[in-house]
Structure formats: C-alpha cells, structure tokens
Amino acid sequence: MDPSRFDFLLNRYLDAELSPEEKSELQTVLLSDPEARRQFWRDARLHGSLRLLAEQESGAHEALSDVEKPGRNRVGHARQRIWFGAAASAAAAALVLFLGLLLTRPLDASAALQQVIDAAGQEGDRTYTVSVLKGNPVRQISGGRALTLEGAVVHFRGKDRYVVIQNLTDGERQRTTGFDGEESWSFIGNGAVNVSDDPRRFRSNLPGSQHDFAFTNLHHELESLGEGYDIQLRDGEDAGMRRLSASKKSRDVRGPREVEIWFDPDSGTILKLELYGLPQGRGGPRAIRLSLTDQRDLGADFFSHTAHHEAGRKIRTEPSK
Amino acid sequence: MPDPDQIALVQRLFVQNMVAVRGFVIALMPDFSSVDDVVQETFLTVTAKADDFVEGTKFRSWAFSIARFKVLEAARQPGSKELLLDAEVIEALCATESEIEKANTDDGLRALEECKDGLAPKARRVIALRYEESHRPPEIAERLGWTVNAVNVALARARKALRECVDRKLKKETI
C-alpha cells in the first residue's frame, strides 16, 4: 500500500473516523504487513501518550493510586473508589456550570427563580464555600498529589465571572481556576498559568465518561436544563429564607438530579445551594452544598489570574480560535 | 479468594504500570469512550486472578494480556464494532510483542509534554481539542470554524511533528 494512504487510514483510525470500507482496507494491511503493524504501534502509542498527558491534567486515571493504601477491602470497594477522581472533577465542573446556569438561565422559569436569577446576574461579588454531602471529595492528580473539593471556595461576579480555589491535600498548594469575562485560566501552586480565550476551556475538564455534564454549547444546554426541571417554591426552614426545589423531569435531562436553593426573599440572593445526584461515572461526590460566606467587594482585578500569583509567573496562552 | 499479600502485590504493580496499561488500551480503543471501563475491568480481573501471577515474571505482559481480553470483550458490544478493529486484527497486533513492550514511559511522556509546548499555536489548539476535550474532527471543525478536512490534516501533521520531536529527544537522552 502507498505509505501516504496507510498514514491517512491510520490517522482516520486514531480519530475514530474510519468508514467501513476504510476500516476493511486498513485491517487488510495490518494483517498482512509486519511493518504496518510496527507503524500502527508507533502512532497508536503517541495517540495514547497524548491522551495520557491530558488525563494527567484532569487527574482521572491516577485515582488508582488510592489502591495502594493498606488495610482495606480493595476488591469489594474498587468499583466505588477507583474513579472518584473523575467524579470529583465532574462535581467541581458541575458546581461552576450549575451556578453558571442560575446566573444566566433564560426567562421560562417561575417568578421566584427569575428573582434568584436576576440577583445572581448582578455585578456584586458573592463567595461560597463548598461542602461535600455525599461521596468522596478527593481528586487525585499527577505526581501523587490530590485535590479536595471539601472546603473549596467559589467566587462569583455578574453572570459569568468566577474563581474556584481548591486545596491540594498536601496542605500547602492550591489549584486556582477562573474566568475574568475575557479569558479563562488555571494553575496549580507555583506552576505555569494556562490561559485561554475560550470561557469553557477549563470548565470542560471532564473525562470522556463524564460527557453527560460536559457542555459544549452552553446556551443550548442551559435551555434544555431550564425546560427539564420541575420547580417548586417552599418556605425555608429558617426565618427570612425561601426555598426553591428543582427536580429533573426525566433521566434524559442533563445536570444534577435535584437542586435545592435557599434564597433571601427580599434580594433574591442565593444563601445556600445543594446539588444532588451530580452527573458522574462511578462513585465520587454525589451531592454538594454551597453556602454563602461573603458578599464583600473583591476588587476590580480579582477575577483576573494576575490577582492570584506573583508578577513574572510563566503564562501559557492558548491560541485564539 | 486470592491471598491478601498477593492482591497487594498485583495492585501495587498495576499502579506502577498504570500508564503503560492505559496507553495500551487507548491504542486499541482510540475514541476514548470505553477506556475507563476497560482499564477498570482489567484492574478487577488482575486483582481477582492475583494468585495466577508469579512474582519475578513480567507483570506488564500479564496485565496487557488481560487488558487485551477486555478490549476484545468490549469490541463485541453493539455499537463498538464500528469503532474498534476486528478481533483477529487486534490479536495480530498484540502478537507484535517487541512493539508492545515499548510501552508509554514517563520519559516519553515528559518528552512529549515538552514537544507539545513547541508546537505552533494552531496545532497546539487542535491537539488540545482532540485529546483534552475529547472532540472528534467534525466537532473540532465546528469549534474552530475550519473544514473537517483541514482538521484532519492539522491533526495528522501535529502528530507527525510530535512523534519526530519525541524521537529526537529520547535519542539525545540515550546518547
């Protein structure tokens, strides 16, 4: 076979784009030509390495290091524990994305929800602390490090600006991610700052198995979520609070299974938000709570990455679309 | 039930070889969608068959053979057939032992990371969309406003450039 044709087919295979005819053509060569098989492994190994590097960033596969801990029934609990990293990642993304929903949700909601949405879209800063109500809060990342969702802090301004700060379990470093209205960014500890003009760039850091909550078209997903929930208005347990309960109309709807929102009936400000049945593959955080802890002005530059690291930090800017 | 010490041994070895096993599975399941499941099943089978492993023998080869069976099982599932190679082709590829043994290594990944940083901005973006965000060429084309063919060409060129760069770096290290 012409080498360029073989290269073409191999690349089509790596991108899962082979037509039945192309697949047959490629397979015939692979079965008959040892050199083709050698080239297959050469290219497929690179393909695997590129994916592994991406996963190390998301921390999914290294969750397995947890099995090294002694004195546990590893076999029995493996399914529940093994992929909690991916699920924790999903929970973190869910947190940002769901608040994103509340901040920008379109008009087809109840009046109370609309009040909450309007309040959330205002420019004032809001700071929330995260608690994990159910599931494992820890996410393993590369180099034997781990992030915890428990105690993470989320800052919001207006409809789309956010900063999420999570602690590493080494007790020293943090992972900081945000969007300043123009650029999204992310860095760990003293590491380089990754910057992108794609607002979704660091929100969609989800393994393939988590695609139920990996929004690729935010407006479309917001609309479908808005249509997909039954919403009820209730009294809050505490005086001065009201509560909105939202539950999915069907399993086909993306997003958390249930959402509880406690809000100030005068201002519409969200005081507490609980997400249940978070999208995930297997195990991991299934429910989290965000509690409002502060509404102080965070300063003009707070949502820019420069406010979170010293001058001179290495910046890796991704190219524009 | 396997001996607890033997379970601990194979699980430790599995973790040590995790990158290689996962890279092996991704090579045979290039669309990423079922890789988690297959690696998980491999881990569970390695654990369940811990007593079959003889300390001192090649753990990686043993884990690869289990992973290969798991890939073949997945290939029989409806919907997977189109994306994965046929069983006889997978068997033929896995018989190329010398190539399989050149598994993904930490050195290789480090070199690749450096090479990625050296890519042209557009190539880096297209690689990020494919590997970090799991998009396939039509979705990447939509995101970037390119044609699908342009994405295919960009991906192929970027991979070629990366392969050559990694080869150069690893060769230099061994000299």
Side-chain angles (χ1 to χ4, degrees):
Chain A
M1 177 184 276
D2 172 15
S4 63
R5 178 67 182 166
F6 180 72
D7 272 349
F8 169 79
L9 293 173
L10 207 44
N11 277 291
R12 298 274 290 168
Y13 165 77
L14 297 176
D15 292 326
E17 294 289 306
L18 281 176
S19 69
E21 296 74 25
E22 289 168 341
K23 179 180 169 183
S24 172
E25 198 180 344
L26 177 65
Q27 295 199 134
T28 301
V29 182
L30 289 173
L31 283 171
S32 62
D33 184 352
E35 176 59 18
R37 292 198 287 275
R38 195 189 64 75
Q39 283 185 39
F40 171 92
W41 282 115
R42 182 197 65 184
D43 287 10
R45 201 159 39 238
L46 177 81
H47 175 76
S49 295
L50 282 164
R51 179 63 174 177
L52 287 166
L53 275 184
E55 288 177 345
Q56 283 186 353
E57 171 70 15
S58 76
H61 77 274
E62 296 200 7
L64 260 177
S65 59
D66 189 56
V67 300
E68 289 185 300
K69 291 177 184 169
R72 301 168 95 164
N73 179 359
R74 297 175 176 88
V75 177
H77 295 297
R79 282 180 191 273
Q80 284 75 43
R81 294 187 292 108
I82 199 165
W83 304 112
F84 64 75
S89 176
L95 181 157
V96 170
L97 289 168
F98 192 80
L99 280 214
L101 292 186
L102 293 177
L103 306 181
T104 58
R105 191 179 182 283
L107 295 172
D108 61 348
S110 70
L113 183 55
Q114 189 58 54
Q115 182 192 15
V116 170
I117 293 167
D118 291 344
Q122 289 172 4
E123 278 301 294
D125 296 335
R126 301 164 301 280
T127 299
Y128 294 85
T129 301
V130 181
S131 318
V132 175
L133 302 176
K134 193 175 178 185
N136 196 321
V138 176
R139 171 191 171 201
Q140 301 289 325
I141 58 173
S142 60
R145 300 168 301 177
L147 284 167
T148 178
L149 197 59
E150 183 68 40
V153 176
V154 189
H155 304 277
F156 283 96
R157 176 179 292 169
K159 290 184 175 178
D160 55 5
R161 277 159 289 175
Y162 72 89
V163 170
V164 180
I165 303 172
Q166 284 179 266
N167 288 320
L168 271 71
T169 54
D170 64 8
E172 295 175 6
R173 288 166 297 178
Q174 294 179 321
R175 182 186 192 213
T176 311
T177 307
F179 177 65
D180 64 8
E182 294 180 356
E183 293 179 328
S184 59
W185 48 269
S186 180
F187 64 93
I188 292 178
N190 295 323
V193 184
N194 296 298
V195 178
S196 170
D197 64 1
D198 182 350
R200 295 169 297 182
R201 176 66 181 87
F202 302 108
R203 290 182 178 184
S204 57
N205 185 21
L206 300 174
S209 60
Q210 308 299 333
H211 276 193
D212 280 349
F213 217 81
F215 293 102
T216 53
N217 181 328
L218 189 56
H219 282 292
H220 171 74
E221 298 298 343
L222 291 176
E223 283 171 5
S224 55
L225 258 172
E227 292 165 2
Y229 281 75
D230 288 317
I231 299 171
Q232 290 186 305
L233 180 61
R234 307 162 192 254
D235 288 331
E237 289 82 358
D238 299 329
M241 276 194 198
R242 308 243 27 216
R243 178 179 168 192
L244 281 166
S245 299
S247 56
K248 273 185 186 179
K249 289 177 181 170
S250 86
R251 284 186 173 187
D252 297 333
V253 176
R254 295 179 174 187
R257 187 184 69 248
E258 292 177 11
V259 180
E260 299 286 340
I261 304 165
W262 286 261
F263 66 98
D264 180 333
D266 295 326
S267 66
T269 301
I270 296 172
L271 304 172
K272 190 167 66 174
L273 174 69
E274 293 179 353
L275 311 178
Y276 293 90
L278 289 166
Q280 57 182 233
R282 293 151 287 274
R286 295 199 62 85
I288 58 174
R289 173 189 296 146
L290 279 82
S291 303
L292 182 69
T293 53
D294 208 339
Q295 289 185 274
R296 273 180 294 187
D297 187 334
L298 296 166
D301 297 332
F302 184 84
F303 292 84
S304 164
H305 63 81
T306 54
H308 298 271
H309 59 76
E310 76 287 356
R313 180 75 67 91
K314 184 180 177 186
I315 310 291
R316 282 201 293 242
T317 303
E318 296 184 351
S320 299
K321 286 181 190 178
Chain B
M1 184 72 180
D3 173 54
D5 289 342
Q6 190 70 6
I7 290 178
L9 171 69
V10 298
Q11 289 188 337
R12 192 177 68 248
L13 290 169
F14 193 88
V15 170
Q16 287 170 4
N17 287 277
M18 179 67 172
V19 166
V21 172
R22 202 169 168 83
F24 172 78
V25 173
I26 293 170
L28 296 172
M29 308 187 81
D31 75 323
F32 313 138
S33 64
S34 303
V35 170
D36 284 353
D37 290 340
V38 168
V39 176
Q40 183 182 14
E41 288 298 329
T42 303
F43 171 76
L44 293 173
T45 301
V46 161
T47 302
K49 291 180 175 291
D51 282 344
D52 293 354
F53 176 67
V54 180
E55 195 168 1
T57 59
K58 281 185 179 175
F59 176 84
R60 184 177 288 181
S61 300
W62 184 60
F64 279 3
S65 68
I66 291 171
R68 174 168 53 95
F69 279 115
K70 296 300 172 187
V71 171
L72 290 170
E73 276 178 21
R76 285 194 287 271
Q77 300 299 315
S80 297
K81 233 177 162 46
E82 300 75 26
L83 294 173
L84 304 183
L85 298 171
D86 292 349
E88 62 173 330
V89 181
I90 291 175
E91 295 284 13
L93 287 166
C94 292
T96 319
E97 197 172 347
S98 60
E99 287 302 320
I100 295 176
E101 285 301 306
K102 294 177 192 168
N104 305 75
T105 62
D106 288 343
D107 286 346
L109 288 177
R110 263 195 299 276
L112 179 59
E113 195 167 20
E114 289 172 19
C115 290
K116 254 177 73 182
D117 286 344
L119 281 178
K122 282 185 177 176
R124 213 161 61 219
R125 182 70 180 131
V126 91
I127 287 287
L129 286 167
R130 176 73 185 106
Y131 291 97
E132 293 171 25
E133 301 189 27
S134 308
H135 292 308
R136 280 161 62 172
E139 296 161 332
I140 297 171
E142 198 180 329
R143 287 280 292 271
L144 299 179
W146 296 5
T147 64
V148 176
N149 189 47
V151 172
N152 288 334
V153 170
L155 279 170
R157 283 182 182 162
R159 283 193 282 248
K160 184 168 185 278
L162 288 170
R163 195 178 61 235
E164 290 170 354
C165 173
V166 169
D167 286 349
R168 275 197 308 274
K169 280 187 183 294
L170 293 180
K171 203 171 177 183
K172 203 180 281 179
E173 281 177 17
T174 53
I175 289 171

